[in-house]
Amino acid sequence: MKRTSLNDIAKQVGVSKTLVSFVLNGRGKEFRISDEICRKVLDVATELNYQPNRLAQGLRTGKTRNIGLIIADIANPFFGKLGREIEQEAALNDYHVIFCSSDENSEKSAQQIAMLQQSQVDGYIISPPMNSEEQIRALSKTQVPFVLIDRYFPEIESDYIVVDNFDAAYQATAHLLRLGRKKIANLTVNLNLVNMKERTDGYKKALEDHGIRIDEALIRVLPFSHDNRDVNMAIRELAGDRKNLKADAILFSTSKLGVMGIECMSALGLKIPDDVAVVSFDNVDAYKICVSPVTVIGQPLKEIGKTAVSLLLNRIADPATKTQHIRLKTELIIRKSCGS
Amino acid sequence: MKRTSLNDIAKQVGVSKTLVSFVLNGRGKEFRISDEICRKVLDVATELNYQPNRLAQGLRTGKTRNIGLIIADIANPFFGKLGREIEQEAALNDYHVIFCSSDENSEKSAQQIAMLQQSQVDGYIISPPMNSEEQIRALSKTQVPFVLIDRYFPEIESDYIVVDNFDAAYQATAHLLRLGRKKIANLTVNLNLVNMKERTDGYKKALEDHGIRIDEALIRVLPFSHDNRDVNMAIRELAGDRKNLKADAILFSTSKLGVMGIECMSALGLKIPDDVAVVSFDNVDAYKICVSPVTVIGQPLKEIGKTAVSLLLNRIADPATKTQHIRLKTELIIRKSCGS
DNA sequence: TATTTTTGCTAAATCGATTTAGTTAAACTT
DNA sequence: AAGTTTAACTAAATCGATTTAGCAAAAATA
């Protein structure tokens, strides 16, 4: 059974394909096609199970109704959920999403941007990896709209939507301080990106504001490779000696680190929150059923997704609008991992 | 900066676009294009940052190098990881994946198949929701290759790749029995799909083989909506009365159920494994740092992904090959949730 | 020298839609 | 009856690539 084209319908009905196109686009009235012919065309279209060829449509109209999405890793629950929200919101607007996982690797993202360009996507939603500034700058020049999510480049004028990472980390740290923790560590990852920087900055500011000296030894920046040994080493150094803990609390800047970290802590026999209190960014499932359910900084994924799509579609509709910078609040979800 | 087409290059170099196409496809030698012209064309192509229009290519050649992927939900870690493997394996073969989340809803999957058809994908990898048999049958008729994953329809002749769910559940149940559990419950979901059926069948067979009467009251089939109250109710009925437990172990047929179930159990103050032992399908992160790390049935996601892609690409290359049915073994990863 | 072969290139068709600019016949004006 | 409007439809161009068929000039061969 080979595909049905406009021409096939036109032939079978005995009219021009122009007419068929008009009718199938619901513009029969507008072009004064007689009701009888309209009906016939529609009948034959369903009879032959006509499916428009989106390549041809896209080629002719210059619009694909596809948007490209570049995130770090669709298998990471944070991005998985965010991606899902974006997919859903796009679908509501009759757009489809092409997913790409960059692994925070700028060479991959460059390839992916090129591929998406070649696919003639109508716009992009991008969580840009580090060292991708030039790609993003080049993308601006193509005039195809894009919005950045999760992070952004301060020097590039573009739409973006992020959370207030500084405030989030500040609040989380303040929460730990309020509960009497003094030696609060921060485990983060060596991605040179604003969002990670803001998290550590918020953490530092909270300490400062509470009159606590910042101890750089308590700030551990781990390689993105997420090797178990690195995490293990860091945890060991911070809390390995139970009588003489260097840290009595840890703020994890990502859930991936947090999950690995807690796994290590369990293996080392460290008790949460008795030995060490824990707060982590991102409200992933794992934290709900954890040894001691983990207090987390929840991001409003649904709102991020919805807003990203709506910003993008607005800009597609009107490329001239002023760029928007949106910063959403997070929510500190208090569970048991910090004691009380 | 508007897009560069073959014609733009042709004009600038002063040759025909035919020649440009030959050169850019690396077929310069084959068509005896002089080295000098070749060089010029390539230079101008990079100078103008030429990006081939994949819509036009696809339209002309009938091949898009895109494959459609329909899974239940990209935000579900099981499908997220599987999707990622598929994306990666496809990329190695210079194919791209268009993700669709069906939510196990056959109307959505029907729409998605239609959309993918319209997008002229070269093939599909589908985890078909229930009631989608007719869609899949119709898809066969289009002659566009597809492979089913995670589940399949016994009455439909097609490639598929699944795990041995029967054996997996059998082994898990046997493991619980070996550890002395007698009243083993099975929490599953009301998806009328072979994989779920096989899981419960394996569970039953293990009980039978160990001379234990099957108690239908211990098999709880919950609605797919995954409402917290349903899970809560089920857990309560099975283990609510601690002195008089109806079940001393639970086999969760999905990790989504398992995570919710364990959350309930914690809330009810039930101890794992002391009060109730737990085994679950799917090795998700949450189980690693759980109150009592959970013994799980791990699926070989990488292999499933690789095999799905390679089956599909083989069939794209040669549609005539005999259909293949692949059933991979799972791995029982023993942790602490069953005691010892 | 005449013929054939090779070299190096191009014109035009094609994929399947959309859209602009008509065309013809009927109906309506005046 | 002649001119104008309207109704109902179509031809052909177009998007940007690929590919088939073929052309002219140069080189090789007879």
Side-chain angles (χ1 to χ4, degrees):
Chain A
M1 227 170 55
K2 77 153 196 313
R3 276 170 180 142
T4 304
S5 75
L6 279 191
N7 238 323
D8 300 329
I9 301 178
K11 274 185 195 141
Q12 176 147 344
V13 180
V15 294
S16 72
K17 63 177 171 180
T18 308
L19 185 150
V20 176
S21 172
F22 288 156
V23 173
L24 294 181
N25 285 311
R27 307 175 67 192
K29 277 277 165 303
E30 182 183 340
F31 287 96
R32 299 182 298 256
I33 312 300
S34 71
D35 290 355
E36 196 195 332
I37 296 275
C38 273
R39 213 171 343 98
K40 264 193 202 162
V41 167
L42 292 169
D43 285 354
V44 173
T46 42
E47 179 194 330
L48 299 183
N49 185 31
Y50 172 70
Q51 307 272 41
N53 183 323
R54 296 185 76 208
L55 302 184
Q57 290 181 318
L59 182 58
R60 175 61 228 236
T61 63
K63 293 279 153 222
T64 54
R65 296 198 84 81
N66 284 149
I67 69 191
L69 173 65
I70 299 180
I71 53 184
D73 181 4
I74 191 68
N76 174 325
F78 169 73
F79 285 112
K81 286 191 182 162
L82 182 51
R84 186 64 211 283
E85 296 296 346
I86 290 173
E87 177 189 6
Q88 236 156 352
E89 185 65 17
L92 289 178
N93 292 279
D94 199 21
Y95 272 82
H96 292 102
V97 176
I98 304 182
F99 288 80
C100 301
S101 297
S102 73
D103 282 318
E104 300 285 6
N105 175 333
S106 63
E107 286 168 37
K108 279 198 193 174
S109 73
Q111 280 180 22
Q112 289 163 342
I113 288 177
M115 184 276 286
L116 292 170
Q117 253 169 212
Q118 295 169 11
S119 299
Q120 317 297 120
V121 294
D122 295 345
Y124 307 79
I125 296 177
I126 302 179
S127 175
M130 65 177 183
N131 304 323
S132 65
E133 268 179 273
E134 285 319 309
Q135 296 162 32
I136 301 298
R137 221 184 289 278
L139 190 57
S140 316
K141 300 231 178 81
T142 66
Q143 308 278 35
V144 182
F146 64 92
V147 348
L148 303 184
I149 54 173
D150 195 46
R151 47 270 296 278
Y152 62 98
F153 296 117
E155 319 77 35
I156 296 182
E157 175 64 14
S158 79
D159 289 307
Y160 62 75
I161 162 153
V162 294
V163 294
D164 190 338
N165 287 293
F166 181 93
D167 179 66
Y170 188 102
Q171 299 300 338
T173 309
H175 175 71
L176 288 166
L177 290 165
R178 218 175 299 126
L179 293 172
R181 306 288 165 161
K182 302 265 185 256
K183 296 178 289 184
I184 303 175
N186 176 216
L187 245 72
T188 183
V189 69
N190 73 341
L191 292 174
N192 182 20
L193 290 165
V194 272
N195 59 343
M196 289 302 149
K197 193 169 169 332
E198 287 169 359
R199 289 174 191 188
T200 296
D201 287 349
Y203 152 87
K204 285 182 176 172
K205 187 64 166 42
L207 293 179
E208 265 178 30
D209 286 359
H210 288 75
I212 297 199
R213 202 182 52 80
I214 288 157
D215 179 356
E216 292 290 341
L218 292 180
I219 302 177
R220 308 296 309 247
V221 183
L222 303 185
F224 176 71
S225 57
H226 286 93
D227 189 316
N228 232 310
R229 282 167 301 181
D230 296 325
V231 180
N232 220 299
M233 173 91 81
I235 298 288
R236 233 178 241 284
E237 289 177 12
L238 290 170
D241 177 6
R242 221 160 149 190
K243 309 280 164 229
N244 191 12
L245 290 176
K246 286 213 182 63
D248 57 12
I250 302 181
L251 168 64
F252 288 101
S253 281
T254 76
S255 62
K256 200 165 169 182
L257 278 179
V259 170
M260 294 178 78
I262 291 173
E263 216 180 338
C264 288
M265 291 162 80
S266 297
L268 292 171
L270 291 164
K271 297 287 171 238
I272 302 170
D274 303 343
D275 296 327
V276 182
V278 166
V279 185
S280 172
F281 269 79
D282 298 334
N283 185 20
V284 299
D285 280 348
Y287 290 145
K288 296 180 187 160
I289 60 171
C290 188
V291 200
S292 169
V294 179
T295 294
V296 296
I297 295 158
Q299 299 198 36
L301 295 176
K302 176 150 223 113
E303 203 179 343
I304 298 177
K306 279 183 81 130
T307 313
V309 172
S310 91
L311 277 188
L312 184 63
L313 297 192
N314 284 341
R315 185 157 297 280
I316 288 174
D318 177 9
T321 52
K322 199 165 149 293
T323 57
Q324 294 195 51
H325 302 167
I326 296 180
R327 201 175 285 266
L328 300 173
K329 284 291 170 209
T330 55
E331 180 192 7
L332 186 65
I333 301 170
I334 295 170
R335 293 202 274 245
K336 303 193 171 164
S337 64
C338 302
S340 54
Chain B
M1 228 169 54
K2 79 152 197 310
R3 276 171 179 139
T4 304
S5 76
L6 278 192
N7 237 323
D8 300 328
I9 301 178
K11 275 186 194 139
Q12 176 148 344
V13 180
V15 294
S16 72
K17 64 177 172 182
T18 308
L19 184 150
V20 176
S21 173
F22 287 157
V23 173
L24 294 181
N25 284 312
R27 307 175 70 191
K29 276 278 166 301
E30 183 182 339
F31 287 96
R32 300 180 298 258
I33 313 301
S34 71
D35 289 355
E36 196 195 330
I37 295 275
C38 274
R39 215 173 339 99
K40 264 192 203 161
V41 168
L42 292 170
D43 285 353
V44 173
T46 42
E47 181 195 327
L48 299 183
N49 186 31
Y50 172 71
Q51 307 271 40
N53 184 323
R54 297 185 75 208
L55 302 184
Q57 290 181 318
L59 182 58
R60 174 61 229 234
T61 62
K63 293 279 153 220
T64 54
R65 297 197 85 80
N66 284 150
I67 68 191
L69 173 64
I70 298 179
I71 53 183
D73 181 4
I74 192 68
N76 173 324
F78 170 73
F79 285 112
K81 286 190 182 161
L82 182 51
R84 186 65 212 280
E85 296 296 345
I86 290 173
E87 176 188 7
Q88 236 156 352
E89 186 65 16
L92 289 177
N93 292 279
D94 199 21
Y95 272 82
H96 293 102
V97 176
I98 303 182
F99 288 80
C100 301
S101 297
S102 72
D103 282 318
E104 301 285 8
N105 175 334
S106 64
E107 286 168 38
K108 279 199 193 174
S109 73
Q111 280 181 21
Q112 288 163 342
I113 289 176
M115 183 277 286
L116 293 169
Q117 254 169 210
Q118 295 170 11
S119 299
Q120 316 297 120
V121 294
D122 294 346
Y124 306 80
I125 296 177
I126 302 178
S127 175
M130 66 177 183
N131 304 323
S132 66
E133 267 178 273
E134 285 319 310
Q135 294 161 32
I136 301 298
R137 222 185 287 279
L139 189 57
S140 316
K141 300 231 178 80
T142 66
Q143 307 280 33
V144 182
F146 64 92
V147 349
L148 303 183
I149 53 173
D150 195 47
R151 44 244 71 160
Y152 62 98
F153 296 117
E155 320 77 35
I156 296 182
E157 176 65 13
S158 78
D159 290 307
Y160 63 75
I161 162 153
V162 294
V163 294
D164 191 338
N165 287 292
F166 181 93
D167 179 65
Y170 188 101
Q171 299 301 337
T173 309
H175 175 71
L176 287 166
L177 290 165
R178 219 175 298 124
L179 292 171
R181 307 287 165 161
K182 301 266 185 255
K183 297 177 289 183
I184 303 175
N186 177 214
L187 245 72
T188 183
V189 68
N190 72 340
L191 293 172
N192 183 20
L193 290 164
V194 273
N195 58 345
M196 289 302 149
K197 194 171 169 330
E198 287 169 1
R199 288 173 191 190
T200 297
D201 287 350
Y203 152 86
K204 286 181 175 172
K205 187 64 164 45
L207 293 179
E208 265 179 30
D209 286 0
H210 289 75
I212 297 197
R213 202 183 52 80
I214 289 158
D215 178 356
E216 292 290 342
L218 292 181
I219 302 178
R220 308 296 310 247
V221 183
L222 303 185
F224 175 70
S225 57
H226 286 92
D227 189 315
N228 231 311
R229 283 166 301 182
D230 295 325
V231 180
N232 219 300
M233 174 93 79
I235 298 288
R236 235 177 239 281
E237 288 177 12
L238 290 170
D241 177 6
R242 223 161 147 190
K243 309 279 164 233
N244 192 12
L245 291 174
K246 285 214 182 64
D248 57 12
I250 302 180
L251 168 63
F252 289 101
S253 281
T254 76
S255 62
K256 199 163 170 184
L257 278 179
V259 171
M260 294 179 79
I262 290 172
E263 215 180 340
C264 289
M265 290 161 78
S266 296
L268 292 172
L270 291 164
K271 298 285 171 241
I272 302 170
D274 303 344
D275 296 327
V276 182
V278 166
V279 185
S280 173
F281 270 80
D282 298 335
N283 186 20
V284 300
D285 280 349
Y287 290 146
K288 294 180 187 159
I289 61 170
C290 187
V291 201
S292 169
V294 180
T295 294
V296 295
I297 294 158
Q299 299 198 36
L301 295 176
K302 177 152 222 112
E303 203 178 343
I304 297 175
K306 279 183 81 129
T307 313
V309 172
S310 92
L311 277 187
L312 183 63
L313 297 191
N314 284 342
R315 185 157 297 280
I316 287 174
D318 177 9
T321 52
K322 199 165 148 295
T323 57
Q324 293 196 51
H325 302 167
I326 296 180
R327 202 174 284 266
L328 300 173
K329 284 292 167 205
T330 54
E331 180 192 7
L332 187 65
I333 301 169
I334 294 171
R335 293 202 273 245
K336 303 193 170 164
S337 63
C338 302
S340 54

